[in-house]
Structures are given as C-alpha cells and as structure tokens.
Amino acid sequence: MNREKLSKELLFHIRLGEDSSIEFKGLKFEGERLVGPNRDKMAHEIAAFANGQGGRLLLGVDDKNRDVIGIADEQVAKVEEWVVNISQQQIQPPVKVDTRLLQLPDRQGDLKNVVYVEIPRSIMVHASNGRYYQRVGSTKQEMKPEVLARLFQQRSQSRLIRFDETHVPNTSLADIDKSLLQRFLKANSPESEQLRKLHLSAINEGEIGLSVSGVLLLCQEPGQWLSNAYIQCVCYSGTERDANDQLDAADFNGPLDQQINGAFEFVRKNMRVEAVKTVGRQDLPQYDLGAVFEAIVNAVAHRDYSMTGRRIRLHMFANRLELYSPGALANSLTLDGLMDNTVTRNENIVNLLSRYYNARDEAGRQALIERRGEGVPKIMNASERLSAKRPEYSLIDDNELLLTIYAASKEAN
C-alpha cells in the first residue's frame, strides 16, 4: 500500500477510534529517555495482535482523545528502534514487525511524524512476560487456559501435538468397528502397526487407544468421546431462524463419511426444484449439488475438532444455505486467499478421507477428497453459475467460518 493511501486509511481510523485491528499510543519522553508507554504493556499489545489476526500500532497518536501528537524529528529513529527491540527481546518467540515512518496532520493541519507498526498474524503462539494475550475488540486480554490450549493446537507446526493425531482418553482398540477399518488395512502387515502408521491409534502414558482421527473414522458413535463431532441440519420455510418456520431438522452422527452423506441427502431432500419453461420444461434446482457436496466435505475435513460446545451447522432458508464450521482459518490463511491457497488443519484426517472411494456422483470424482486445491473454486464458480450470485465466506468472532450459498430462482435465470 502506498503512503498516500495508507495515510488516508489511518486518518479514517483516527477519526473513528481503535478497534480489533489498530491501537494508538501517545509517547512520553523525559529528556532523551522514552518513558511511556510502559515497555511490558507495549509487549503485551504486540503479542496479542500476533496471537490473533494481526494488527497495527500507530505511535504518536493519543489513545484517549485521538489527537495526532507526533514525534520530534530527533526522536523518530529512537522510537522505531525501541518498538523493534521490544518485539525481539520481550516476547517469546520474537515477533517480526514491519515499521514505516509517516507524517499525518494534527487538528490544525500541521504535519506530525508518526511511526506505523504492522504486526502480521503469526503461525506461532507468543508469550509476553510469561503471559499469553489475545486481542478482544479494542482491548487485550489474557487468554484462559482452554483458549490457550486450543490456540497451540491450531498453530502447532509439530507433528507431535497435531490435534487429529492426539490420544482420546478412555478409548481402546476394542472400540474400533472392524467393518470401518477394512478400507485402511493392507494384507501381510500387522493391524496394530498399520493403525500406528496411519495415526489412527495413539499412546498416552503407556496406554494404547484411539486418536481423534481414529474415533472419527473407525467408530460408529464418535460422539461418545467427541460430543460435538456431528452436523446439525435445519430447514426453514422463511429467510430467518424461526422455530415456527422450521420444516425439517436432523443431526448426523457416525463416522465422517456417513455425516457427509447424511447432510448432503438432507439438502437434496429439502431444496426446491422449480420448472423453467423456455423451449421445453427445464428443471432449476436451488443449489448446485456438486458445490454443496464439496462444501460439506470441506467443513467436515477442516473444522477445528478441539473446540468444545460447537458443531457444524447447516441451515437452509428460502433464499440461501448457511454452513457454519467451527474454528478460524488454519495457520496464516486469509479469506482473500481461500480461492488460491490450500492450508489443512487436520492433515491426517484429510489424508485418510482421500482413501474413501464413495463420493457422490455429483462430486464428479470417486474419492471424497482429491487434494488439488479445487474445492473452493468449484463451490464459488458452480454456485454463481446457477444463482448469478457469488457465495460468501466470512469469519464469526474469529472462531467460526461461515459459508453462504445463495439459492437460484426463476427470476435470476
């Protein structure tokens, strides 16, 4: 972003105030020494942004009255060095920051020096003074233990703690449904060894049990151990959630492939198919079923199974389908990058689902998943061709990914 455009954007934020993406800091000097803000508090702010979606600091702007105070010419370099040192020395692991020197007008129109600091979203989890912070609205808050544990699971780059390979308490190999296991086994190799290599089993304190992947793929009732690992489907006659307008509802449990097929059939059963009379009768379904199948597979394969109290939700309305998947985007993936990039949260689950050769005909392939990065483009393009309206992805409270697919109508065709 060029300086002129960046300056205009920052002036817009200064006028409206801080939010979850930007923080203002006025600076206080005593002689040549920078004494405010407090170094520890500044480290907390930087770590909180890095632990979340990233953010920006604007140094030289009062955070209370949003006045552009500025920084004296001879102090600018010192301020820049100060914030970089904090990011490298007081945060573990260090956070990479980008700084830019800008001039913004104060209330009288006089240009003042400010230091702009951009903090990207990190793939690591960062501690400041031994504590872990996150950005909530325009404030930073210390993370609760369960939130911190989930963040470590989400961002871990180590196979040792990848969540879908971790041990599920109170499970044993006796919980495996043998009919579900057959698709993974090869002849002339011990079953226990294959389970271990496929990360379907896991060991905890010497006890062999099932991993998260094992429970989801090899058990008829994964909900015995992972209570939120199911898909909730509801169909409404209107355009809003209203119990009085509910036409159909079902929860789909069982192994992941059964969940996928159950939710897909729910959509097929409940969507309207209208007739369009042109030269002859032509059926117009509300949704492209290939795109719907792809969306459900993606939700099941990439949701965050470490989150408690959340399940996949599929809601059908008169004019749209909404699919909610627990968890923010994996690692450094952004909404803008969904079309062009593939980042997998549950690497093991995705690898194993690629062995399932029972995809619906509408998918245009045999395997449930083919790792070509074509899923999201198919959802977007096929749905837009049918409804003339492009599907939309959005993040809800940084904890849930929402996909909205708009229904086709005779008026749009």
Side-chain angles (χ1 to χ4, degrees):
M1 185 182 299
N2 62 46
R3 288 178 182 272
E4 182 179 357
K5 186 175 181 181
L6 177 59
S7 296
K8 286 182 179 179
E9 182 182 338
L10 293 175
L11 289 172
F12 171 81
H13 279 287
I14 291 171
R15 186 169 71 251
L16 295 183
E18 297 174 336
D19 58 23
S20 61
S21 69
I22 193 165
E23 176 83 12
F24 308 142
K25 290 295 180 186
L27 303 175
K28 182 180 179 182
F29 283 83
E30 289 183 356
E32 295 296 318
R33 191 165 65 96
L34 200 165
V35 296
N38 178 275
R39 287 178 65 94
D40 287 342
K41 291 182 178 179
M42 179 59 70
H44 300 339
E45 298 285 1
I46 295 172
F49 276 128
N51 287 336
Q53 295 301 308
R56 297 168 292 177
L57 295 170
L58 195 53
L59 307 180
V61 176
D62 190 280
D63 56 330
K64 294 184 175 59
N65 56 30
R66 305 198 295 277
D67 284 339
V68 179
I69 302 170
I71 306 167
D73 290 349
E74 63 273 15
Q75 295 170 335
V76 168
K78 182 176 294 186
V79 170
E80 184 180 23
E81 182 182 5
W82 173 79
V83 73
V84 170
N85 285 342
I86 290 174
S87 71
Q88 298 300 299
Q89 298 172 5
Q90 293 193 229
I91 301 173
Q92 297 78 39
V95 174
K96 180 183 181 300
V97 300
D98 295 315
T99 62
R100 296 182 74 173
L101 308 180
L102 301 171
Q103 288 192 321
L104 298 177
D106 62 12
R107 293 183 187 273
Q108 290 71 44
D110 298 324
L111 291 176
K112 301 288 186 178
N113 300 321
V114 297
V115 174
Y116 169 79
V117 184
E118 187 163 345
I119 304 142
R121 175 182 176 175
S122 177
I123 61 172
M124 308 294 287
V125 184
H126 301 271
S128 170
N129 198 23
R131 298 176 178 235
Y132 295 89
Y133 293 88
Q134 64 179 344
R135 187 80 174 178
V136 179
S138 60
T139 65
K140 64 180 181 301
Q141 294 183 10
E142 189 170 357
M143 283 187 267
K144 295 179 180 179
E146 62 271 20
V147 176
L148 178 60
R150 187 163 66 243
L151 186 61
F152 267 112
Q153 289 159 354
Q154 290 172 348
R155 297 195 176 182
S156 171
Q157 300 302 293
S158 169
R159 292 185 56 82
L160 295 176
I161 56 173
R162 183 179 289 159
F163 186 74
D164 60 347
E165 297 175 5
T166 57
H167 179 268
V168 178
N170 304 315
T171 61
S172 72
L173 300 187
D175 296 314
I176 294 174
D177 185 307
K178 295 295 185 180
S179 65
L180 299 175
L181 177 61
Q182 293 308 310
R183 73 188 85 203
F184 298 112
L185 294 182
K186 296 179 180 179
N188 304 319
S189 182
E191 179 179 306
S192 59
E193 181 179 338
Q194 293 186 66
L195 288 170
R196 178 179 58 80
K197 287 183 176 180
L198 293 172
H199 303 288
L200 288 164
S201 65
I203 299 177
N204 183 51
E205 296 182 354
E207 295 292 324
I208 299 177
L210 297 180
S211 67
V212 171
S213 299
V215 167
L216 293 171
L217 300 175
L218 301 181
C219 297
Q220 287 291 352
E221 297 182 19
Q224 286 184 254
W225 302 277
L226 303 171
S227 59
N228 299 291
Y230 68 97
I231 305 177
Q232 177 195 74
C233 297
V234 184
C235 179
Y236 300 94
S237 60
T239 59
E240 303 296 334
R241 292 189 189 89
D242 187 333
N244 295 320
D245 293 335
Q246 185 172 304
L247 298 176
D248 194 8
D251 291 344
F252 296 98
N253 305 285
L256 293 187
D257 61 320
Q258 293 181 22
Q259 294 185 31
I260 292 167
N261 286 318
F264 176 80
E265 285 300 330
F266 183 91
V267 175
R268 183 203 290 275
K269 178 179 69 171
N270 285 289
M271 76 174 186
R272 296 193 309 272
V273 178
E274 299 179 334
V276 179
K277 293 183 179 180
T278 52
V279 178
R281 176 189 172 96
Q282 179 183 353
D283 289 338
L284 178 67
Q286 277 187 302
Y287 305 105
D288 182 282
L289 286 175
V292 170
F293 183 80
E294 202 72 50
I296 296 171
V297 169
N298 280 358
V300 167
H302 300 298
R303 67 155 288 184
D304 187 345
Y305 287 97
S306 73
M307 297 185 73
T308 58
R310 292 177 183 261
R311 67 280 185 206
I312 295 173
R313 295 178 291 145
L314 190 157
H315 293 172
M316 298 179 68
F317 300 92
N319 62 347
R320 69 193 187 281
L321 181 154
E322 293 182 348
L323 186 60
Y324 296 82
S325 181
L329 293 170
N331 295 336
S332 57
L333 190 62
T334 64
L335 290 173
D336 292 337
L338 279 171
M339 282 286 285
D340 303 315
N341 300 292
T342 301
V343 178
T344 302
R345 172 181 282 112
N346 304 303
E347 186 73 32
N348 198 54
I349 289 174
V350 169
N351 284 336
L352 294 171
L353 285 178
S354 68
R355 298 172 178 234
Y356 283 59
Y357 289 95
N358 60 344
R360 308 303 293 249
D361 291 340
E362 291 82 0
R365 60 173 186 264
Q366 290 184 315
L368 279 183
I369 289 180
E370 288 185 352
R371 308 193 62 175
R372 299 175 180 172
E374 298 172 354
V376 173
K378 179 176 181 178
I379 294 167
M380 305 295 277
N381 297 331
S383 299
E384 187 175 18
R385 280 196 298 270
L386 186 65
S387 67
K389 194 169 183 180
R390 196 161 182 79
E392 296 177 355
Y393 281 97
S394 57
L395 279 174
I396 310 297
D397 297 330
D398 197 29
N399 281 317
E400 199 168 34
L401 182 65
L402 166 62
L403 169 62
T404 302
I405 301 177
Y406 295 97
S409 65
K410 288 190 290 186
E411 290 75 17
N413 285 267

